[in-house]
Amino acid sequence: MKLRNILLLVGLMFLIAACAPTPQLRSDRLLQDDSFVSGEEPCAAPCWRGIIPGETSWNNALTIIGDDTTLASLQTRTDETTKQIGAAWAQKDGDNCCQMFSQDGETVSFIVAQTTPRTRFGEVVEKHGEPSYIIGDTVSSDQALVSVYYPDIPMLIYVFVEGENGQISDRSEVVGFAYLTSELMQELLTTSSLHTWDGYKTFNDYMQSDFELTPVPTAEATPES
C-alpha cells in the first residue's frame, strides 16, 4: 500500500465522524491513553504498550493487544496479493479507536489511535519540544483537526481546534497520536505539503499561509523533455 493510502486510513478514523448528524472529534469513549507524554510504563514514544513500529513482529503485536484487558473487538484483514495486514480495535466498553498496519505482513509499520481529550498540547511540547511541521483539516464549523509532526521520534500528534478561527494553544486538547517507522516518516515528509511550525497561532493563520514543505519531485512525476 502506498503511503498516501495509509494516510487516507489515518484521516478516515478522525473524519468519519463527519458522516454523523453531529460530528464529534472529542469523546470519552475512545482510547484512554496519554503514554505519548507519560511514556514511562511500559515504554515511551514511539513505543506503545511494548509495540514499536519497525521492530515488533506482527504476531507479537496482536498478542499484546489481544491480551490487554482494557481493549476489545480486535479484528484483522489481510491483502492476499501483497500480504499487507491491517488491524483495528476498541477501548473496552467504548468505541473503535485504533488501527495498526504492516507493509510486509511480518513487522508492525504504523499505529494510530484516537484518544479521549485528557491531554493538552502544551504537555506534549513540554515533553518532546516543539514540533517541526503542521497541517490541518476542517470537520465542521466549530471543529478542526490539526496534525503536528515530530520526525525525530517519529510521531504525529492530532490536536482539536474550535473551527477555522480557533486558536492552537498550549491548552488545545490532544485527540490522537500516530507512531510510524522512520522510513514511513521520511516518505511522508517527501510526499506532503506542510507548514513549518511557527508557534501558537490560529488554525487559519497556518492554513492560509504558503506551504514551506512541498512534495519532492520523483522521476515518475518529471515530464519528459
Side-chain angles (χ1 to χ4, degrees):
M1 180 181 291
K2 294 183 178 180
L3 182 62
R4 62 175 175 268
N5 293 329
I6 298 174
L7 295 178
L8 286 174
L9 290 176
V10 176
L12 179 62
M13 288 190 62
F14 291 93
L15 300 180
I16 195 170
C19 297
T22 306
Q24 293 297 324
L25 293 177
R26 298 175 291 181
S27 172
D28 290 332
R29 292 180 55 80
L30 296 170
L31 185 67
Q32 298 172 15
D33 191 291
D34 62 358
S35 60
F36 49 89
V37 290
S38 57
E40 286 77 15
E41 294 294 339
C43 53
C47 173
W48 182 74
R49 304 194 185 188
I51 303 171
I52 305 174
E55 297 184 20
T56 306
S57 74
W58 182 260
N59 288 337
N60 285 345
L62 288 182
T63 297
I64 291 171
I65 296 167
D67 289 346
D68 192 325
T69 58
T70 69
L71 307 176
S73 304
L74 175 62
Q75 299 180 357
T76 63
R77 178 175 294 180
T78 302
D79 185 325
E80 295 300 335
T81 303
T82 64
K83 302 305 179 184
Q84 296 167 347
I85 311 175
W89 60 94
Q91 177 75 37
K92 184 179 179 180
D93 299 323
D95 296 333
N96 288 335
C97 63
C98 313
Q99 293 182 2
M100 183 170 66
F101 176 78
S102 172
Q103 290 182 295
D104 60 9
E106 298 181 0
T107 306
V108 174
S109 303
F110 194 95
I111 299 172
V112 59
Q114 288 178 274
T115 63
T116 58
R118 60 195 290 180
T119 304
R120 304 292 180 170
F121 183 39
E123 297 176 66
V124 178
V125 174
E126 182 178 356
K127 175 71 174 183
H128 300 289
E130 295 189 339
S132 297
Y133 304 104
I134 182 172
I135 192 64
D137 289 291
T138 55
V139 176
S140 62
S141 60
D142 60 350
Q143 294 184 105
L145 181 72
V146 167
S147 305
V148 295
Y149 288 61
Y150 285 87
D152 293 340
I153 293 179
M155 172 179 75
L156 280 70
I157 294 293
Y158 301 102
V159 179
F160 174 86
V161 184
E162 294 181 348
E164 294 181 348
N165 296 316
Q167 180 73 33
I168 303 166
S169 74
D170 61 344
R171 300 297 298 165
S172 296
E173 296 163 310
V174 175
V175 293
F177 65 89
Y179 297 154
L180 55 161
T181 64
S182 297
E183 292 78 13
L184 277 180
M185 175 60 81
Q186 185 58 39
E187 185 178 350
L188 180 54
L189 295 179
T190 57
T191 58
S192 304
S193 296
L194 302 172
H195 303 283
T196 299
W197 173 256
D198 190 32
Y200 297 124
K201 297 182 178 181
T202 68
F203 181 90
N204 272 340
D205 283 339
Y206 273 110
M207 303 313 145
Q208 293 181 358
S209 65
D210 294 333
F211 293 112
E212 288 82 17
L213 188 70
T214 55
V216 176
T218 63
E220 294 180 355
T222 302
E224 295 183 1
S225 57

